[in-house]
Amino acid sequence: MPEHSISTDSFILLLAFLFIVGVLTTRFSTRLGVPSLILFILVGMVMGSDVLGIVYFDNASLTQKIGVIALIIILFEGGLQTNWKDVRPVIVPSLSLATIGVLITSGIVAAAAKMILGLDWLESILFGAIVGSTDAAAVFAVLKDHNISPKLGSTLEAESGSNDPMAVFLTVAMIELITIPDTSFLSLVGDFILQMGLGLILGIIFGKIAVKALNSINLDSSGLYPVFATAFALLTYGITAFLNGSGLLAVYIAAIIIGNAEIAYRHSIFRFSEGFAWMMQILMFVILGLLVFPSELFTPAILIQGILVSLILILVARPVAVFISTIKMKYTQKERIFLSWAGLKGAVPIILATFPLLAGIEDSHQIFNVVFFVVLTSALIQGATIPMLANKLGLNGPKKTIPMQSLELISLGKADAEMIEYEMESDSAIVGKTLMEIPLPEGTLVNAIIRNGKLIAPTGNTVIMAGDFLYILSGRKNKPKLKKLLKEKSLYSQDALELK
């Protein structure tokens, strides 16, 4: 038996312990103002061989596989939560940041790596490519519970969700140039266009197929719908990657389409995806923490190199990239400053840093350790101060409204019906009317209303008010009519007056 192997029972016990500790650390992260990913990584480092010695782990290949699967789940959940109405106005600057911004950041960091780390030019550009992108897992986790301006939040989410493919492409391309010197630059450009194009097209196709399947196939249990949706995320990545497209981009695009469509058991799918994404974040960051050896990371050389590179990345490379990428776009100086500071690094750079390790590149261990230190610095300094900076610059958005109660619907099996949750807006045509006055589709029933945090049992004389959360039981065939009724604007609303 290998020296560091553990029994199945011990592994299960250890896994349970790691998940419990990971979940509990989220409470400490809120109180300490530290991003949870930092605490997850620290749990892994403490459990590793250099500190407590509970787990010996140095398998970069397994880390890479787990990391990619985790990123698929995290990007899928982030895409589901992305409101297309918010993203559409900022899609151009977001894509500019995800492409031009990544190239500029990578180039400036590459020059710094050449001077500070003493790498040759190809390895320096490889280092810049690894840390050039804003990390989706870190951004989604930090922004989720904070009321940042919707414009800025949408910009960061769209950028981080779409720039991973650029970072992956640049990293793989540089490794190919280092290991295969005869590689043609023009062929790499062609590969990039192919990957991005396939990722976009297949993401749209699989997103539409998933919506159609979720609404058409009547499964035996409502609990199967979230599993079905997650399976589509994995399928989207797998087929796109098999065809040499960008699987991560395809997953994010497909998730946006699914999240903004009318789908069966929407609430269950969203809640399952959120919990699954948290689980994968905990697993991924703990394993990344296990992979690093503190005795190698916290040496004087790595500390000095890491601090210098971090300062250039945070204070020079990212701001220059943001200001150039958003030229002549409708962002104020304060908004550009915030976008510059919010370019968080997270799991993606660490996972990408395993690529040189597996490729056997000469200075790969130095690259990995410095990248890891840069991620820790970025997440700890930038991640912990984003809410404070938004408040200081006056860039907070409206407070997020979340219903204080929710109704859990028992699985209806093949009853072909579901519970719909809907928040009434002030300009809705049915606000101010009683339930008897509202022409609900046949067989549709308003089961409950949450108003100011209190549950109301509705009757025919109950008046609908702005801000009410309605829980409506409806057959699937009536959903389009019901949604149209709920979204119909009042004749006296601002939108209706503008249309006139």
Side-chain angles (χ1 to χ4, degrees), residues 422-453:
Y422 192 84
E423 181 182 7
M424 296 308 306
E425 298 179 357
S426 58
D427 57 357
S428 173
I430 67 173
V431 167
K433 294 183 179 180
T434 65
L435 287 177
M436 287 192 299
E437 296 172 328
I438 300 172
L440 293 170
E442 185 178 355
T444 301
L445 180 66
V446 178
N447 291 79
I449 299 174
I450 304 296
R451 180 178 297 163
N452 298 325

Side-chain angles (χ1 to χ4, degrees), residues 215-362:
N215 289 330
S216 301
I217 300 175
N218 197 11
L219 301 174
D220 289 340
S221 170
S222 60
L224 292 174
Y225 285 88
V227 179
F228 198 38
T230 304
F232 265 101
L234 298 172
L235 180 69
T236 300
Y237 177 88
I239 292 180
T240 305
F242 179 78
L243 296 174
N244 294 320
S246 174
L248 294 177
L249 178 61
V251 168
Y252 187 63
I253 296 296
I256 291 177
I257 291 173
I258 296 170
N260 287 272
E262 299 297 337
I263 54 174
Y265 295 99
R266 179 186 183 86
H267 185 78
S268 298
I269 291 172
F270 276 49
R271 295 289 75 78
F272 175 87
S273 298
E274 183 180 19
F276 197 15
W278 270 111
M279 188 174 76
M280 295 309 295
Q281 280 194 60
I282 293 171
L283 179 62
M284 176 176 63
F285 286 118
V286 169
I287 287 179
L288 292 175
L290 287 171
L291 185 63
V292 71
F293 288 80
S295 60
E296 297 177 4
L297 180 65
F298 298 112
T299 62
I302 297 296
L303 287 174
I304 293 172
Q305 292 172 348
I307 290 172
L308 290 176
V309 171
S310 296
L311 288 175
I312 292 173
L313 173 62
I314 295 172
L315 300 178
V316 180
R318 172 67 179 180
V320 170
V322 168
F323 276 76
I324 292 177
S325 300
T326 58
I327 286 177
K328 294 185 178 180
M329 297 182 188
K330 296 179 180 179
Y331 288 89
T332 65
Q333 292 296 90
K334 288 184 177 181
E335 289 173 335
R336 288 188 172 94
I337 291 171
F338 181 82
L339 290 174
S340 300
W341 189 254
L344 295 177
K345 310 304 169 187
V348 172
I350 301 176
I351 294 169
L352 291 179
T354 64
F355 285 43
L357 287 172
L358 296 175
I361 290 175
E362 183 178 355

Side-chain angles (χ1 to χ4, degrees), residues 379-414:
L380 189 59
I381 297 176
Q382 293 173 282
T385 54
I386 281 177
M388 181 181 67
L389 180 64
N391 186 56
K392 188 77 173 176
L393 296 175
L395 298 175
N396 287 325
K399 188 174 181 180
K400 296 181 179 180
T401 57
I402 301 173
M404 297 181 67
Q405 286 88 11
S406 64
L407 297 181
E408 292 294 336
L409 184 64
I410 299 173
S411 172
L412 294 177
K414 295 186 176 181

Side-chain angles (χ1 to χ4, degrees), residues 74-195:
I74 292 167
L75 277 173
F76 183 67
E77 194 268 339
L80 289 178
Q81 301 286 352
T82 299
N83 189 327
W84 176 243
K85 289 191 298 184
D86 294 334
V87 170
R88 184 167 52 190
V90 298
I91 194 68
V92 172
S94 297
L95 291 178
S96 179
L97 287 167
T99 51
I100 298 171
V102 171
L103 285 172
I104 294 172
T105 303
S106 299
I108 295 174
V109 173
K114 173 68 177 173
M115 294 185 293
I116 296 170
L117 305 183
L119 304 173
D120 62 38
W121 270 113
L122 286 179
E123 288 181 342
S124 298
I125 297 172
L126 171 62
F127 182 91
I130 289 172
V131 299
S133 66
T134 299
D135 185 68
V139 169
F140 292 154
V142 170
L143 296 185
K144 183 171 291 185
D145 297 323
H146 298 289
N147 56 325
I148 307 298
S149 160
K151 176 185 176 182
L152 295 177
S154 298
T155 301
L156 287 168
E157 288 178 1
E159 177 204 356
S160 62
S162 59
N163 70 3
D164 289 343
M166 172 64 88
V168 172
F169 167 78
L170 289 175
T171 301
V172 173
M174 294 313 304
I175 290 175
E176 194 171 335
L177 285 172
I178 293 171
T179 56
I180 311 173
D182 296 333
T183 301
S184 168
F185 178 76
L186 289 177
S187 69
L188 292 177
V189 174
D191 288 343
F192 174 74
I193 295 172
L194 176 65
Q195 287 182 26

Side-chain angles (χ1 to χ4, degrees), residues 420-441 444-446 448-449 451 458-472 481-493 496:
I420 297 168
E421 177 189 40
Y422 192 84
E423 181 182 7
M424 296 308 306
E425 298 179 357
S426 58
D427 57 357
S428 173
I430 67 173
V431 167
K433 294 183 179 180
T434 65
L435 287 177
M436 287 192 299
E437 296 172 328
I438 300 172
L440 293 170
T444 301
L445 180 66
V446 178
I449 299 174
R451 180 178 297 163
T459 66
N461 294 320
T462 301
V463 178
I464 302 300
M465 298 176 62
D468 284 352
F469 286 90
L470 307 186
Y471 291 87
I472 309 168
K481 293 180 182 178
L482 177 61
K483 288 291 184 180
K484 183 178 179 181
L485 173 67
L486 293 173
K487 293 180 178 180
E488 184 178 344
K489 301 295 184 182
S490 168
L491 292 175
Y492 302 100
S493 70

